[in-house]
């Protein structure tokens, strides 16, 4: 290959021109020895200043051989430049889609049992409740506690002040109703038999019946009374031994409706007697009351 170069004023100027050609084009490389890695061999005609690339490592006659060394190693990196000015903030991106819900957390540990407010009739014992509990004695309106490891702690009254006196109640009745049963009453069957009655005003009454009985029967029996008609097979209180006598008493409550009415004694035998059965010398008593408390 032949390259014409204008005459230069000096040999160094020629070299600069050659380097410019080599740096500006890699198409001038021939063979394995005219490369940037191995260097270049140039032939310069001393008369015409024509530069050629020989196909071998030798230049033709009448030319001068110019050997350019291989490319040198890269120089050390230069010092880092000064930081550039911060760029303008970018446009805010669109909001991301909501994330999936997280997994449920594990259940917490159960808390310790809280203090309790206990109550009863009478003071608490050392076995009542646990530490921290309080207790109310409903009989005396006294609060105990909170309970400690040693005892029930402080005791205080929680009763309120006494209320005003209530109005006086109506005068109580002092009337009692009595009926003497002196005549004999014969019972010859096991049917319900009305023995006695007392006419009473409306209200509630405690009622009492007592009598003496006598039998000439040759067999035992059962006898009983009530203040309502007696049904067959029920309410029998006393065993009647053949050919004996004895005492019998019965009590209870009756309520007479508005307008007044009668309280009655009904008696009966369990079975029909085979001989005389009689009641004699008894009494029937009714006492009015405003209320009856059963214990």
């Amino acid at each position: 290959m032949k390259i014409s170069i204008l005459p230069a004023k000096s040999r160094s100027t020629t070299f600069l021109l050659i380097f410019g050609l080599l740096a500006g084009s890699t198409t001038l490389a021939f063979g394995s020895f005219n490369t940037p890695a191995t260097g270049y061999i140039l032939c310069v005609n001393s008369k015409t200043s024509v530069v050629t690339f020989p196909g071998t490592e030798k230049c033709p006659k009448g030319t001068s051989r110019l050997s350019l060394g291989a490319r040198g190693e890269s120089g050390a990196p230069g010092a880092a430049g000064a930081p550039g000015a911060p760029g303008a903030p970018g446009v805010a991106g669109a909001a991301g889609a909501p994330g999936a819900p997280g997994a449920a957390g594990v259940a917490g540990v159960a808390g310790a049992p809280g203090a309790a407010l206990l109550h009863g009739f009478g003071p608490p014992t050392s076995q009542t409740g646990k530490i921290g509990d309080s207790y109310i004695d409903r009989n005396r309106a006294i609060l105990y506690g909170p309970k400690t490891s040693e005892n029930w702690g402080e005791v205080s009254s929680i009763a309120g002040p006494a209320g005003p006196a209530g109005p006086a109640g109506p005068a109580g009745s002092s009337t009692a109703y009595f009926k003497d049963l002196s005549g004999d009453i014969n019972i010859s069957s096991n049917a319900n038999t009305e023995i006695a009655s007392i006419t009473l005003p409306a209200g509630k009454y405690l009622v009492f019946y007592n009598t003496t009985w006598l039998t000439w029967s040759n067999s035992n029996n059962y006898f009983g009374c009530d203040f309502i008609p007696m049904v067959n097979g029920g309410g029998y209180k006393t065993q009647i031994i053949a050919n004996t006598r004895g005492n019998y008493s019965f009590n209870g409550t009756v309520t007479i409706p508005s307008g007044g009415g009668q309280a009655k004694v009904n008696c009966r035998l369990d079975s029909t007697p085979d001989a005389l059965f009689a009641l004699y010398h008894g009494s029937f008593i009714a006492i009015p009351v405003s209320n009856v408390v059963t214990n």
Side-chain angles (χ1 to χ4, degrees):
M1 181 176 180
K2 184 187 292 184
I3 301 175
S4 297
I5 303 177
L6 295 177
K9 293 182 180 181
S10 66
R11 188 178 182 87
S12 62
T13 302
T14 302
F15 284 155
L16 291 174
L17 293 172
I18 293 171
F19 282 133
L21 291 171
L22 294 175
S25 176
T26 59
T27 60
L28 299 178
F30 297 95
S32 62
F33 53 87
N34 281 334
T35 67
T38 61
Y40 295 91
I41 297 176
L42 304 176
C43 297
V44 182
N45 191 305
S46 57
K47 293 181 179 182
T48 64
S49 297
V50 174
V51 178
T52 60
F53 286 82
T56 66
E57 295 184 10
K58 294 181 180 181
C59 287
K61 187 177 180 180
T63 62
S64 299
R65 184 177 185 274
L66 180 60
S67 178
L68 302 179
R71 179 185 297 170
E73 296 181 2
S74 300
V91 179
V106 297
V109 178
L117 177 60
L118 310 175
H119 61 87
F121 296 95
T125 67
S126 59
Q127 286 75 37
T128 304
K130 63 182 182 300
I131 293 176
D133 289 349
S134 299
Y135 179 92
I136 296 176
D137 179 357
R138 296 174 61 182
N139 280 341
R140 298 184 296 164
I142 293 178
L143 175 65
Y144 293 79
K147 185 179 183 181
T148 67
S149 59
E150 298 178 355
N151 52 43
W152 269 99
E154 295 184 2
V155 178
S156 57
S157 174
I158 58 174
S173 173
S174 60
T175 302
Y177 298 84
F178 174 83
K179 189 168 189 176
D180 183 31
L181 305 174
S182 58
D184 294 345
I185 301 174
N186 297 324
I187 299 178
S188 59
S189 72
N190 65 341
N192 185 76
T193 303
E194 182 179 315
I195 303 300
S197 64
I198 300 178
T199 300
L200 302 169
K204 178 172 285 189
Y205 296 84
L206 288 176
V207 285
F208 304 88
Y209 170 70
N210 64 83
T211 188
T212 302
W213 56 266
L214 174 67
T215 180
W216 286 273
S217 174
N218 292 319
S219 61
N220 298 337
N221 211 330
Y222 287 89
F223 170 77
C225 298
D226 206 338
F227 301 109
I228 59 175
M230 299 186 64
V231 298
N232 187 29
Y236 305 111
K237 308 296 183 181
T238 302
Q239 184 179 20
I240 304 302
I241 305 300
N243 296 304
T244 58
R245 69 179 64 195
N247 297 316
Y248 175 84
S249 64
F250 180 72
N251 58 74
T253 62
V254 296
T255 299
I256 304 301
S258 175
Q262 287 188 327
K264 299 179 179 182
V265 178
N266 299 274
C267 299
R268 69 179 298 156
L269 292 166
D270 185 29
S271 59
T272 300
D274 57 6
L276 179 64
F277 179 84
L279 303 177
Y280 64 97
H281 196 69
S283 63
F284 185 19
I285 303 171
I287 301 174
V289 293
S290 59
N291 191 31
V292 177
V293 177
T294 303
N295 292 322

